[in-house]
C-alpha cells in the first residue's frame, strides 16, 4: 500500500476538510472565558502558556518528605498547553499545542523542565503570528491547505523515552523526537523513508523485552509498528479496520496478541463542537469492537463485540492459562466527554463526571465469545500497570491496576476532573484509595518499579497534581503497597503547568 493511498485514507477519515466553529476572538469571547477560568481556582491550568514565555525551568524544586536515594531517572509527561494566539482561543482541550514536561529525580534532588514541542504546525503559526490550521475542535479561517496529518500534528498526548530519544506523540501523525538532555525538538520521527508521515498513535506499549509496539489508523486502513530496543524499525504490517472511520486511541500487547478497542464513535466534521448537533457521537446500533490480532501475522485475528460504549484507555491485556485474553479497560456510556466535557473545561464551565468505569472482559479466542467479568462503579481514568508486567501472561500477568479516580465526596466541584487514586487488585476487586481532596486535581499517576525488585507492588507511585489552593503543580511520590497513606514525598513547582494527559518514567542507568 502506498504512502499516498494511506494519506488519502486520512483525508477520508475527515482530516483536511473545512469544518467547525471559528476560534474565539477577543474581546467578546476569549476574554470572558479567561475571566471565568481565573475565577475558578480549579480551572486556571486551562489558561495555558503562551509561545514567548511558555517554557519552564526549575533546576532545583523545593521538596518535602523523603525522596528515596534509589529513585533516579527522568519522568516525562505531555499535554496540550498553548491554547491562544493573537486573541484567538481554541475551544477543545485536545487542540492545544503539546508541551513536554521532564522531571529529573536524582538522590532526592528534583529538577523540572517544560518545553513546547517545536512541531511544523507550531513553527508555521509562530512565524505567522496567529493560528493557521483547523484543530480537532476549532475552525481557523484562511489557513494554508492541510497536506497531511503532520500539518496539524500538535504532539500533545504522551511522552516516552525510548532508545535514547523522547517521543512526543499525538493520535493521527508522526511521533516527534526530542533530545532528553534539554527537550529540544529533533523533528518528526521517520522510521523508514517510505513510511514518513504515517500515523504513530499516542499509546505504544513497550514489552518486557524492550520492544515497542504501536498502531496507526487512517480511515479503513491501519498499520502495526514494531520497533526494537535500539530504536530501529523491525516490522510494519498493514491491515483493514472492521470499523472504519472510528476513533482508535489505545492498544495493549500480550505475548502473542495485539488488542485494540474500536469504540462505535463517529466523528462528523461537518458539525460543530459545543452546543447543537453532536460532532462526536455514538454510532447507533454499533457495538464496542475489540480487535485481537496475532502479532506475527495481523491477518490472523478475531473481532469481539461488547455493549456500545466509548473507550479511551486500556488497563492491560494478558493471556490466561486457558488461552483466553483477559482485557481491562475504562469505558464510558457515550462520547460526552470528547464532545462536550473537554469543551466545557476550556470555557471554564463546570461539568459533570463522564461516567467512565473500569471493566474486565474475558475474550475466548477459540469460540469468539466475550464475557464481562466485573463492572466497578467508581469513576476512573488513566489506568496503568507496573511496566515490568506489560506483555506478560499466566502467573506473571499484572494483577494490580492503578487509576485516577473521582468519588461523590467531590461535592460541588468540577466532577470531570479527578481528585484521587485507586489501586485495584483485579482478580479479587480489592482496592486501596487515596483522596487528594476537593482543592486538588489529580493527573495520571504511574507505577515505577523499585530497582532490583520484582514484586508487582514493590514500586513507587509517581504523578502530578494541581493544587488549586497553592496555585501550583505538585510532583507526588507514594508507596504502591501503601497507597492509602498518601504521598511520602512531594515537590512543589514554582508555577502552574497546564493539565496533561500521559507520561512515563525512564530509570537512570
Ligand atoms: Fe490517552
Amino acid at each position: 500500500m502506498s504512502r499516498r493511498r494511506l494519506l488519502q485514507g486520512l483525508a477520508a477519515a475527515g482530516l483536511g476538510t473545512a469544518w467547525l466553529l471559528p476560534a474565539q476572538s477577543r474581546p467578546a469571547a476569549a476574554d470572558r472565558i479567561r475571566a471565568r477560568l481565573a475565577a475558578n481556582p480549579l480551572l486556571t491550568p486551562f489558561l495555558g502558556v503562551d509561545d514567548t514565555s511558555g517554557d519552564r525551568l526549575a533546576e532545583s524544586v523545593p521538596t518535602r518528605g523523603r525522596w528515596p536515594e534509589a529513585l533516579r531517572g527522568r519522568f516525562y509527561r505531555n499535554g496540550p498547553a498553548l491554547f491562544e494566539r493573537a486573541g484567538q482561543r481554541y475551544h477543545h482541550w485536545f487542540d492545544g499545542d503539546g508541551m513536554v514536561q521532564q522531571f529529573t529525580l536524582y538522590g532526592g534532588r528534583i529538577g523540572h523542565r517544560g518545553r513546547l514541542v517545536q512541531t511544523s504546525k507550531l513553527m508555521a503559526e509562530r512565524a505567522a503570528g496567529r493560528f493557521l490550521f483547523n484543530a480537532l475542535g476549532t475552525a481557523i479561517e484562511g489557513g494554508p491547505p492541510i497536506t497531511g496529518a503532520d500539518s496539524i500534528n500538535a504532539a500533545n498526548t504522551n511522552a516516552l523515552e525510548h532508545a535514547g530519544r523522547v517521543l512526543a506523540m499525538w493520535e493521527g501523525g508522526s511521533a516527534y523526537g526530542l533530545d532528553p538532555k534539554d527537550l529540544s525538538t529533533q523533528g518528526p520521527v521517520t522510521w523508514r523513508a517510505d513510511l514518513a508521515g504515517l500515523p504513530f498513535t499516542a499509546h505504544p506499549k513497550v514489552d518486557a523485552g524492550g520492544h515497542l509496539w504501536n498502531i496507526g489508523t487512517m480511515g479503513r486502513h491501519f498499520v502495526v509498528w514494531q520497533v526494537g530496543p535500539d530504536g530501529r524499525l523491525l516490522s510494519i504490517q498493514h491491515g483493514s479496520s472492521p470499523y472504519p472511520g472510528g476513533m482508535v486511541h489505545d492498544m495493549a500487547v500480550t505475548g502473542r496478541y495485539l488488542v485494540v478497542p474500536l469504540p462505535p464513535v463517529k466523528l462528523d466534521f461537518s458539525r460543530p463542537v459545543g452546543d447543537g448537533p453532536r460532532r462526536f457521537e455514538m454510532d447507533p446500533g454499533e457495538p464496542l469492537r475489540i480487535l485481537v490480532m496475532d502479532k506475527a501475522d495481523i491477518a490472523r485475528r478475531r473481532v469481539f463485540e461488547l455493549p456500545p460504549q466509548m473507550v479511551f484507555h486500556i488497563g492491560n491485556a494478558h493471556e490466561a492459562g486457558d488461552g483466553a485474553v483477559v482485557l481491562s479497560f475504562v469505558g464510558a456510556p457515550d462520547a460526552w466527554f470528547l464532545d462536550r466535557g473537554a469543551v466545557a473545561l476550556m470555557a471554564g464551565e463546570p461539568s459533570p463526571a463522564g461516567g467512565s468505569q473500569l471493566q474486565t472482559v474475558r475474550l475466548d479466542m477459540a469460540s469468539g465469545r466475550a464475557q464481562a467479568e466485573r463492572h466497578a462503579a467508581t469513576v476512573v481514568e488513566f489506568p496503568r500497570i507496573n511496566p515490568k508486567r506489560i506483555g506478560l501472561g499466566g502467573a506473571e500477568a499484572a494483577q494490580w491496576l492503578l487509576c485516577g479516580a473521582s468519588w461523590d465526596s467531590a461535592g460541588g466541584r468540577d466532577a470531570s476532573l479527578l481528585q484521587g487514586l485507586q489501586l485495584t487488585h483485579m482478580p479479587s476487586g480489592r482496592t486501596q484509595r487515596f483522596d487528594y481532596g476537593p482543592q486538588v486535581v489529580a493527573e495520571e499517576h504511574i507505577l515505577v518499579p523499585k530497582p532490583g525488585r520484582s514484586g508487582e507492588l514493590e514500586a513507587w507511585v509517581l504523578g502530578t497534581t494541581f493544587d488549586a489552593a497553592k496555585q501550583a503543580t505538585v510532583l507526588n511520590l507514594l508507596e504502591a503497597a501503601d497507597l492509602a497513606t498518601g504521598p511520602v514525598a512531594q515537590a512543589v513547582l514554582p508555577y502552574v503547568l497546564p493539565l496533561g494527559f500521559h507520561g512515563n518514567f525512564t530509570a537512570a542507568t
Side-chain angles (χ1 to χ4, degrees):
M1 186 184 307
S2 71
R3 174 171 172 266
R4 185 172 167 211
R5 186 165 165 212
L6 288 166
L7 291 174
Q8 284 170 344
L10 271 177
L15 296 166
T17 55
W19 75 101
L20 321 182
L21 288 178
Q24 302 282 6
S25 59
R26 281 181 182 151
D31 280 352
R32 275 202 303 275
I33 290 172
R34 293 183 68 82
R36 272 208 298 271
L37 291 170
N40 185 337
L42 277 171
L43 297 185
T44 52
F46 291 98
L47 290 166
V49 301
D50 64 55
D51 198 7
T52 54
S53 59
D55 292 353
R56 299 282 183 269
L57 179 64
E59 290 180 348
S60 180
V61 180
T63 62
R64 57 191 185 212
R66 289 177 61 86
W67 283 94
E69 180 73 23
L71 177 56
R72 291 170 171 259
R74 300 170 292 281
F75 175 41
Y76 297 95
R77 288 184 46 73
N78 194 358
L82 191 151
F83 299 127
E84 293 187 31
R85 274 188 193 277
Q88 288 190 307
R89 179 173 170 83
Y90 284 140
H91 291 287
H92 199 289
W93 185 12
F94 298 3
D95 290 348
D97 293 285
M99 180 177 182
V100 171
Q101 317 296 341
Q102 180 195 54
F103 296 87
T104 52
L105 300 91
Y106 286 93
R109 287 178 293 115
I110 310 292
H112 171 261
R113 182 193 296 276
R115 294 190 77 171
L116 289 162
V117 185
Q118 312 288 295
T119 61
S120 63
K121 168 190 178 295
L122 182 124
M123 299 302 279
E125 293 179 337
R126 176 182 291 167
R130 67 180 186 91
F131 287 138
L132 294 173
F133 300 101
N134 287 331
L136 184 72
T138 310
I140 304 297
E141 304 288 340
I146 294 172
T147 54
D150 279 342
S151 296
I152 55 172
N153 186 345
N156 67 2
T157 308
N158 198 356
L160 168 73
E161 186 176 322
H162 187 257
R165 65 183 162 194
V166 182
L167 302 174
M169 294 163 285
W170 187 57
E171 186 142 309
S174 303
Y176 265 79
L178 278 61
D179 188 333
K181 283 198 285 294
D182 59 4
L183 296 185
S184 56
T185 302
Q186 298 165 333
V189 175
T190 300
W191 302 99
R192 205 174 68 197
D194 62 320
L195 305 175
L198 288 188
F200 186 88
T201 55
H203 283 281
K205 297 295 181 294
V206 180
D207 65 21
H211 290 254
L212 183 152
W213 293 88
N214 201 5
I215 55 172
T217 62
M218 306 130 291
R220 66 178 57 254
H221 308 291
F222 67 84
V223 292
V224 170
W225 306 90
Q226 183 192 6
V227 179
D230 60 359
R232 282 188 299 182
L233 181 70
L234 294 181
S235 70
I236 183 162
Q237 299 183 65
H238 300 273
S240 62
S241 174
Y243 182 67
M247 182 172 178
V248 180
H249 186 73
D250 198 356
M251 57 158 284
V253 60
T254 74
R256 180 173 175 185
Y257 303 111
L258 297 169
V259 182
V260 184
L262 304 168
V265 174
K266 288 286 189 185
L267 313 181
D268 184 347
F269 288 97
S270 68
R271 293 176 170 179
V273 293
D275 295 335
R278 299 189 72 144
R279 189 160 162 253
F280 303 93
E281 198 163 37
M282 301 291 282
D283 198 351
E286 294 289 340
L288 166 64
R289 293 174 176 83
I290 307 292
L291 174 60
V292 182
M293 299 175 282
D294 194 315
K295 285 154 69 175
D297 178 4
I298 63 169
R300 294 199 293 264
R301 69 187 201 182
R302 270 209 182 270
V303 181
F304 296 85
E305 296 190 353
L306 298 173
Q309 54 198 305
M310 174 63 193
V311 175
F312 277 114
H313 297 125
I314 281 181
N316 189 36
H318 72 266
E319 292 163 49
D322 61 1
V325 172
V326 179
L327 171 70
S328 57
F329 64 92
V330 175
D334 57 31
W336 178 88
F337 185 79
L338 178 62
D339 192 67
R340 305 293 163 101
V343 176
L345 289 170
M346 284 286 285
E349 295 166 352
S351 303
S356 52
Q357 297 180 345
L358 184 58
Q359 300 175 45
T360 304
V361 293
R362 176 177 289 267
L363 308 172
D364 187 322
M365 296 303 294
S367 70
R369 282 199 301 272
Q371 179 187 357
E373 293 203 327
R374 190 173 51 259
H375 191 279
T378 305
V379 172
V380 296
E381 250 301 354
F382 302 133
R384 299 295 296 257
I385 62 167
N386 184 321
K388 281 188 172 176
R389 304 293 175 121
I390 292 175
L392 301 186
E396 295 180 304
Q399 296 192 335
W400 292 90
L401 189 65
L402 176 69
C403 295
S406 193
W407 301 284
D408 291 343
S409 59
R413 67 175 249 155
D414 194 302
S416 65
L417 298 170
L418 304 170
Q419 74 174 68
L421 303 173
Q422 177 170 295
L423 184 64
T424 303
H425 183 247
M426 300 301 287
S428 68
R430 194 168 76 247
T431 62
Q432 279 196 67
R433 292 176 171 178
F434 177 70
D435 186 345
Y436 279 104
Q439 291 299 305
V440 171
V441 178
E443 302 189 83
E444 179 191 73
H445 285 48
I446 64 169
L447 289 156
V448 177
K450 295 184 176 180
R453 305 288 185 87
S454 58
E456 193 175 347
L457 290 190
E458 290 183 308
W460 294 291
V461 170
L462 186 63
T464 46
T465 50
F466 168 61
D467 187 319
K470 291 189 181 72
Q471 286 293 297
T473 297
V474 180
L475 181 67
N476 303 276
L477 186 77
L478 302 87
E479 289 281 348
D482 192 14
L483 187 88
T485 297
V488 296
Q490 292 181 309
V492 182
L493 295 179
Y495 34 70
V496 177
L497 299 176
L499 297 177
F501 294 137
H502 304 291
N504 296 279
F505 183 80
T506 297
T509 53

